[in-house]
Amino acid sequence: MTFTEEIKRRRTFAIIAHPDAGKTTLTEKLLLFGGAIQTAGAVKSNKIKKSTTSDFMEIEKQRGISVSTSVMAFDYKNYKVNILDTPGHEDFAEDTYRTLSAVDSVIMVIDCVKGVEPQTRKLLEVCRMRNTPVIVFINKLDREGQNAFDLLDEIEKELKIKVRPMTWPIGIGKSFKGVYNLTQSSLNLFEGDNKTTLGETITIKDINDPLIDKRVGSDFATQLREDVDLIDGVYDELNVQKYLDGQISPVFFGSAVNNFGIHELLDCFVEIAPFPKERDTDNGIIAPENPKFSGFIFKIHANLDPKHRDRIAFLRICSGKFERNKYYFNVREKKELRFSNPTAFMAQQKSVIDEAFPGDVIGLYDAGNFKIGDSLTEGASFQFKGIPSFSPELFRYVTNMDPMKTKQLQKGLEQLTDEGVAQLFTKKVDGRKVIGTVGALQFEVIQHRLKSEYNASASFDQINLYKALWISSTDKKKLDAFMQDRNAHIAFDKEERPVFLAESPWLLQMAQEKFPDIQFHLKSEF
Ligand code: G4P
């Protein structure tokens, strides 16, 4: 196979959903259809369940699961499918954001009973920011859900995207019979009453074929014909280019737990979903066909064994071919690195690989050389864009509780924040450390991991903060003057970039009004 063919057969994507909509189930079914796993139940949910165990124990368990489910790759037809897992808890929204920087498209799962939910909304906003192509899978059609047209309306209105149904449900809940394939004139029906046995695909001449009446009864056949008439009148044909530009989303209906509608989804997905495309760097665009290797780190996992400090850094390959044992260049550290055990993930199986192509995600064993967002190249000095830090939502002062373990605490905080668990700011005026997170759970995680992995103990004390905003100005003198004026409210992030710590929206507004030449940014990339 040529290099270009290798690129074109790759489909790297994530499944996103509000918790409980069926992301894990759908992932598992795709792996089953792709032949990557043999039995259901093999993929563990990465949801953090509220149970009798405390949250951080649950998180530790999830960390174990999420290493194995970080990437699930399989071959289907002639395609290489890479599914990247996203965390199941909203406190880890930033992890999800970073993972979405490493995919080329997404499949969004919506529960037909619940419709659009808060996490669905947030995740789709992220996709829209990047114009990521989205395919929608409406799940749980075996339940008494909302009317299909109402659901589509809700999706269009709430998520502000245009949709185009590709399949259409016949009945819903108890009366759910199966789906009609709108593009291929075929029916997929359940056999028997138990909604678990798939029938074979029935090819029909067109929507008026009396075979439909025979198989689903004339009431359902009439309803289907009316629905299809309406669909053709209301929704435009699928324009694949518009889908690739993130302007229209094809929609499939089904029931993941019952294997229903998955084949249609997967077949259409591999056909229309994008292969790896060019990416933006601080030194121009890099095309995947560029023969020189490049990629970036979007996720770092500490090893679960506390005796070993090594970690796995997940690298998304953007151009060229990655080869084992070759020297590559960590642009930030200006350091040559060689990897003797790069790991690929074929579903549950980890294996050492000799080469990997654009679109692939591989795990690199790392003794602390990487930070999230790092670029790795064949020698060129550029950084991939699109993996910024966001202003955290919650802030705490870190106080060292054991003066004998200052170094350990320092190291622990450095490494945990390198992994992207939280952000670390150092106040200009007194050097105090401030930790910022998206959710409250992270403080528990940090405290627990500092103790168990670094033998350090810290307390997190209240600090009254609304936002941490990166500041810039075209006039360096003005920036210095601002930093002098607001001395007590200035901190530096880990990259030594200056940040304004705003205690309230009002104080931020005051600063903006008084210093019009200063730009305040909610993310570190601007
Ligand atoms: P998530 O990863 O998006 O959080 O969802 P997950 O797949 O774990 O599914 C959440 C629940 O919804 C699971 O039930 C799962 O079995 C169920 N489910 C998934 N697809 C369908 C479907 O098509 N129809 C119906 N009726 N249910 C579906 P659970 O009771 O939480 O877990 P389990 O004990 O069944 O595993």
Side-chain angles (χ1 to χ4, degrees), residues 1-288:
M1 208 175 293
T2 66
F3 178 53
T4 310
E5 284 166 347
E6 286 286 7
I7 297 170
K8 292 209 164 148
R9 77 186 193 98
R10 275 162 169 79
R11 299 287 181 274
T12 303
F13 77 108
I15 302 177
I16 55 176
H18 188 90
D20 260 351
K23 176 171 74 85
T24 311
T25 314
L26 179 63
T27 306
E28 180 164 284
K29 296 301 157 119
L30 292 176
L31 294 176
L32 276 168
F33 275 75
I37 54 172
Q38 267 63 51
T39 50
V43 178
K44 295 277 177 292
S45 165
N46 68 3
K47 255 180 306 189
I48 292 169
K49 296 208 168 81
K50 290 280 170 209
S51 58
T52 47
T53 53
S54 72
D55 274 336
F56 65 75
M57 287 310 287
E58 193 61 36
I59 290 164
E60 284 300 279
K61 220 163 69 200
Q62 297 307 335
R63 271 202 313 134
I65 292 169
S66 58
V67 171
S68 64
T69 59
S70 284
V71 197
M72 289 162 280
F74 62 91
D75 284 304
Y76 179 72
K77 297 184 171 170
N78 203 19
Y79 297 95
K80 164 99 187 276
V81 180
N82 295 313
I83 308 181
L84 306 199
D85 197 22
T86 52
H89 195 286
E90 62 179 321
D91 281 9
F92 295 87
E94 212 166 344
D95 284 359
T96 301
Y97 184 89
R98 289 188 292 249
T99 298
L100 293 181
S101 73
V103 302
D104 300 311
S105 70
V106 305
I107 292 180
M108 167 134 84
V109 186
I110 290 177
D111 179 334
C112 74
V113 183
K114 300 204 173 129
V116 174
E117 297 178 82
Q119 279 292 95
T120 334
R121 228 171 268 128
K122 278 196 196 158
L123 288 160
L124 203 92
E125 265 167 38
V126 176
C127 295
R128 241 196 330 262
M129 274 162 64
R130 304 175 192 279
N131 297 326
T132 308
V134 178
I135 292 181
V136 177
F137 182 73
I138 299 183
N139 191 27
K140 306 197 186 181
L141 264 288
D142 57 317
R143 292 218 177 136
E144 304 295 330
Q146 302 173 41
N147 169 284
F149 283 111
D150 292 346
L151 273 168
L152 295 184
D153 274 357
E154 184 178 327
I155 293 171
E156 288 206 321
K157 231 190 274 129
E158 295 253 345
L159 302 179
K160 299 183 190 70
I161 47 168
K162 274 181 72 115
V163 297
R164 163 71 214 188
M166 306 299 284
T167 58
W168 196 253
I170 304 169
I172 192 162
K174 282 199 194 73
S175 67
F176 181 47
K177 306 236 169 286
V179 290
Y180 171 67
N181 193 325
L182 285 156
T183 52
Q184 286 170 3
S185 294
S186 63
L187 293 176
N188 252 310
L189 303 177
F190 282 125
E191 266 172 8
D193 294 329
N194 62 3
K195 305 265 187 308
T196 52
T197 317
L198 288 182
E200 78 227 77
T201 303
I202 304 158
T203 310
I204 49 172
K205 274 204 302 292
D206 55 38
I207 189 70
N208 295 316
D209 195 327
L211 191 58
I212 305 179
D213 303 67
K214 215 166 131 194
R215 298 302 293 257
V216 304
S218 59
D219 286 356
F220 284 107
T222 308
Q223 182 67 50
L224 178 66
R225 287 185 189 112
E226 282 173 22
D227 287 354
V228 171
D229 232 21
L230 197 55
I231 293 166
D232 288 342
V234 173
Y235 299 102
D236 297 339
E237 283 290 306
L238 180 72
N239 177 324
V240 176
Q241 192 53 49
K242 281 196 174 160
Y243 153 70
L244 292 173
D245 293 340
Q247 289 171 15
I248 190 164
S249 289
V251 179
F252 291 83
F253 290 86
S255 167
V257 82
N258 295 310
N259 294 322
F260 219 90
I262 315 284
H263 244 306
E264 292 86 344
L265 172 72
L266 184 57
D267 284 345
C268 175
F269 168 78
V270 290
E271 203 168 299
I272 68 169
F275 54 83
K277 291 278 150 52
E278 51 192 25
R279 293 200 164 236
D280 206 6
T281 77
D282 60 2
N283 194 18
I285 301 284
I286 295 289

